[in-house]
Amino acid sequence: MASLTRNVLLTFLCVLLGFVCFSNAQLSTNFYGTSCRNLQTIVSSAMRQAVNREPRLGASILRLFFHDCFVNGCDASILLDDTAILTGEKNANPNRNSARGFEVIDTIKTQVEAACPNAVSCADILALAAREGVALLGGPSWAVPLGRRDARSASQSAANTQIPAPTSSLSTLLSMFSAKGLNARDMTALSGGHTIGQARCTTFRTRIYNDTNIDAQFATTRRATCPSSGGDANLGPLDIQTPNRFDNDYYQNLVARRGLLHSDQELFNGGSQDALVRSYSTNAAAFTSDFAAAMVRMGNISPLTGTNGEIRRNCRAIN
């Protein structure tokens, strides 16, 4: 009787929580244990070559995964090219002229298809590649739940509205992450992904010329390569100290008012996340542990599983 009561309660909780229970029940870290035994080795090797060639690609692939998961779930919709009958997400405002690393995923997919034809989704390849990129730059590793399938559609409008902008306020960030089932701690930990990579001048110009909660010397340094007009594509490091190493310097920069994006500095600006930012700035182990756990939770956002979606042969196009 007690067992029956627990099962009824669990079913009730899953109905309340919706996709969270569904996704956790469907994904498994050994999903390809028999169908593609060498999958993780293939992804790891290809990512090592890519990051050795250009360290920034670790950050670029991580960003692709984030932008994929926040638009209708982790379903590889961001990888689809525009066609006459499909408007993809690559030209949405958060991705246009900035989303990159697609060719790396293409390379991995080609190698995986050669080893395990029609077995592994592009969505799972992207999830694994994001983990490898972080680890290769000195960050944590984690067991990636697998079993996602690929979307047969995309949504440019959702990409335009569901991905946080670099101008977002703290309340907006909290609300947008909450809408995806991620809490405030997840949001602050995942923002630490900005400890690697670069941003375009157009995303931080207003911050360095208009914001007042910014270190004056830092603003002057960034203005040297980001003029008040023009130079939109000029790059600035999200972490001015170690842009190619995954560490907790991002949080140290926030405490010093050296966040590059307005949305970065919102995490340390007299609000609810100040204490956690201070904690991460002095405790790298706490940050990396929370980041890894949050990446798993983000990867569980509304995956397509079972017979939903498809296994794309080419990540850029539906079958």
Side-chain angles (χ1 to χ4, degrees), residues 109-178:
K109 178 62 172 175
T110 298
Q111 294 176 4
V112 169
E113 283 296 304
C116 318
N118 305 314
V120 181
S121 68
C122 299
D124 279 344
I125 287 173
L126 182 54
L128 288 169
R131 188 268 309 273
E132 290 303 308
V134 168
L136 286 165
L137 294 177
S141 187
W142 56 91
V144 178
L146 301 167
R148 302 168 189 81
R149 287 167 64 85
D150 300 323
R152 292 179 51 81
S153 62
S155 177
Q156 188 174 107
S157 60
N160 279 328
T161 58
Q162 297 179 14
I163 297 172
T167 54
S168 295
S169 66
L170 178 59
S171 61
T172 296
L173 291 170
L174 292 170
S175 175
M176 296 183 81
F177 275 74
S178 177

Side-chain angles (χ1 to χ4, degrees), residues 201-202 204-206 208-210 222-234:
C201 168
T202 186
F204 61 85
R205 176 181 288 118
T206 300
I208 62 175
Y209 285 97
N210 295 345
R222 291 276 58 86
R223 289 171 184 172
T225 53
C226 182
S228 57
S229 63
D232 285 1
N234 294 353

Side-chain angles (χ1 to χ4, degrees), residues 226-305:
C226 182
S228 57
S229 63
D232 285 1
N234 294 353
L235 298 175
L238 286 159
D239 170 359
I240 196 171
Q241 294 145 289
T242 54
N244 292 326
R245 189 173 75 229
F246 197 98
D247 53 30
N248 67 332
D249 283 357
Y250 167 80
Y251 298 100
Q252 295 174 18
N253 288 333
L254 296 186
V255 172
R257 299 188 305 160
R258 293 196 298 259
L260 183 63
L261 306 180
H262 177 87
S263 55
D264 288 329
Q265 197 61 55
E266 281 288 287
L267 302 185
F268 190 83
N269 192 36
S272 63
Q273 301 308 292
D274 283 16
L276 185 56
V277 168
R278 281 195 185 277
S279 174
Y280 287 160
S281 75
T282 59
N283 189 338
F287 159 53
T288 55
S289 175
D290 283 359
F291 179 84
M295 283 294 291
V296 173
R297 282 191 284 275
M298 185 175 76
N300 280 340
I301 298 175
S302 305
L304 296 171
T305 57

Side-chain angles (χ1 to χ4, degrees), residues 18-65:
F19 73 82
V20 176
C21 286
F22 177 77
S23 63
N24 286 341
Q26 298 295 318
L27 303 183
S28 166
T29 56
N30 65 349
F31 186 84
Y32 298 106
T34 56
S35 60
C36 195
R37 293 180 182 274
N38 295 328
L39 172 61
Q40 307 223 18
T41 300
I42 294 169
V43 176
S44 178
S45 177
M47 281 300 296
R48 183 175 297 278
Q49 292 180 35
V51 171
N52 283 346
R53 182 176 70 250
E54 184 190 351
R56 185 187 170 200
L57 281 169
S60 298
I61 298 298
L62 175 61
R63 186 170 184 262
L64 278 185
F65 184 55

Side-chain angles (χ1 to χ4, degrees), residues 63-80:
R63 186 170 184 262
L64 278 185
F65 184 55
F66 168 58
H67 283 206
D68 181 42
C69 289
F70 261 58
V71 180
N72 298 328
C74 310
D75 60 4
S77 58
I78 195 173
L79 304 179
L80 290 169

Side-chain angles (χ1 to χ4, degrees), residues 210-227:
N210 295 345
D211 282 4
T212 56
N213 60 342
I214 187 168
D215 176 76
Q217 185 176 354
F218 174 73
T220 298
T221 299
R222 291 276 58 86
R223 289 171 184 172
T225 53
C226 182

